[in-house]
Amino acid sequence: MLSKSSNNQSHDAGVAGIGMTSARTRDRLVDRLKQQGIKSEPVLEVIRNTPRHLFIEEAMAHKAYEDTALPIGFDQTISQPYIVARMTELLLEDGPLRTVLEVGTGSGYQTAVLAQVADRVFSVERIGALHRRAESALARAELTNVSLRHTDGNDGWPTSMKFDGIMVTAASKSLPKSLTGQLAMDGRLVIPVEQEGEQALCLICRTESGFTHELIEPVHFVPMLEGVIE
């Protein structure tokens, strides 16, 4: 796990950051997230301690703690910290999570955040180069409770296990049945959905009587695609 020392820095200077990636810069980001309505203290603390600059290109490290999405190649982006915090907060509303499935590892930043609020994270990515990059970044961050697979996210995690939380980081035009089928009872699924050209964040909860759906707020994500790219 990431170090949580009193000065919010890891033992590795590259992980802790300096200058535009320093603890002071991260504190400013957390203050902004609070102003935007993020209330979960565990989520805010994880955002503060997670070295986002490890999950983007070195040339863009100076923008790592701005509240903005950034390109990571292959027409993909690393989500803005507000969206990462909001989606994580929604998953945690009913309490701690044992297992979480993430669809769309990307650069691994959201994965790193989830790994610090759940016992175990399983994440899938369809683009091989991003899958390998995320493996490297998560290893550098010393997060060992994550399992990654290079596979089509529409299929979920190829197993019969159920997940307490599922997070999808790409917009879907329809809800994949493979994902709702892998949601445990009382589990929560957070997914961007697209209808008539507009996207909204949707919270789906599994109950004894079926599934509930709640639209949270407008968002903008890359589309959820099928297939695997080596």
Side-chain angles (χ1 to χ4, degrees), residues 90 114 155 169 220:
L90 286 169
L114 290 171
D155 299 330
T169 62
H220 181 70

Side-chain angles (χ1 to χ4, degrees), residues 87 90-91 101 103 163-169 175-184 186-193 201-206 211-214 216:
M87 293 176 75
L90 286 169
L91 276 190
L101 170 63
V103 177
F163 297 94
D164 298 321
I166 298 177
M167 180 183 292
V168 181
T169 62
L175 189 60
K177 291 183 178 179
S178 59
L179 298 184
T180 55
Q182 290 193 308
L183 196 61
D186 298 321
R188 301 166 73 85
L189 165 62
V190 179
I191 180 172
V193 293
L201 200 60
C202 185
L203 172 65
I204 298 165
C205 300
R206 185 168 193 170
F211 295 92
T212 64
H213 298 71
E214 179 184 356
I216 305 299

Side-chain angles (χ1 to χ4, degrees), residues 60 87 107 112 127 151 154:
M60 304 190 74
M87 293 176 75
S107 68
I127 301 174
T151 189
N154 289 278

Side-chain angles (χ1 to χ4, degrees), residues 60-89:
M60 304 190 74
H62 64 288
K63 295 185 177 182
Y65 300 98
E66 296 178 5
D67 187 28
T68 184
L70 296 169
I72 56 174
F74 307 93
D75 296 321
Q76 304 296 303
T77 61
I78 179 174
S79 295
Q80 71 179 101
Y82 168 77
I83 290 297
V84 170
R86 185 70 179 112
M87 293 176 75
T88 306
E89 187 175 59

